[in-house]
Amino acid sequence: QVQLVESGGGLVQAGGSLRLSCAASGTIFSINAVGWYRQAPGKRRELVASITRDSSANYADSVNGRFTISRDNAKNTVYLQMNTLKPEDTAVYYCHADVHVRPGLSIDYWGQGTQVTVSS
């Protein structure tokens, strides 16, 4: 059993910064691709940023240049550094990970989400 726990969300003024963390725990052989998603009220969940195990990253156009995804494989943790936050970044942010729970078996896991609210 694997758990993904997000933290670091909160209320911030426009132009401010937050760093989200997603820590994986449980029976983990390795973690390959990880993504940060967000979902605003009434909207579909969207991919914000993703990162491979070798730290190759991709970003949604809306956050490119402002957000940085990174990972610490030794800690089974991924981060999303969010700078120059805008009110439109307000959403619940979720991490998603492709977790190899044992050799030959990988399972997708979602965290519970953390709220990010950006005020103008």
Side-chain angles (χ1 to χ4, degrees), residues 3-6 21-25 75-78 95:
Q3 296 81 229
L4 302 180
V5 179
E6 301 100 332
S21 299
C22 175
S25 62
K75 296 181 178 179
N76 286 332
T77 301
V78 297
C95 65

Side-chain angles (χ1 to χ4, degrees), residues 2-119:
V2 173
Q3 296 81 229
L4 302 180
V5 179
E6 301 100 332
S7 61
L11 175 64
V12 65
Q13 293 284 330
S17 298
L18 287 172
R19 189 180 75 159
L20 306 183
S21 299
C22 175
S25 62
T27 303
I28 300 170
F29 181 72
S30 65
I31 303 175
N32 275 28
V34 178
W36 281 100
Y37 293 74
R38 67 186 182 189
Q39 188 166 25
K43 303 294 184 180
R44 296 181 64 188
R45 189 170 299 185
E46 64 174 348
L47 179 63
V48 175
S50 62
I51 188 167
T52 64
R53 196 180 193 284
D54 66 354
S55 295
S56 177
N58 287 283
Y59 301 92
D61 289 343
S62 58
V63 307
N64 195 27
R66 299 187 296 119
F67 291 10
T68 302
I69 188 171
S70 61
R71 63 190 294 166
D72 185 335
N73 291 333
K75 296 181 178 179
N76 286 332
T77 301
V78 297
Y79 306 94
L80 186 67
Q81 179 67 45
M82 305 186 295
N83 297 326
T84 319
L85 282 161
K86 304 175 180 179
E88 51 262 46
D89 295 319
T90 296
V92 178
Y93 284 70
Y94 300 88
C95 65
H96 170 269
D98 172 24
V99 180
H100 295 183
V101 297
R102 67 173 187 261
L105 178 63
S106 63
I107 301 175
D108 292 341
Y109 288 93
W110 289 92
Q112 83 290 346
T114 185
Q115 176 71 47
V116 172
T117 303
V118 184
S119 62

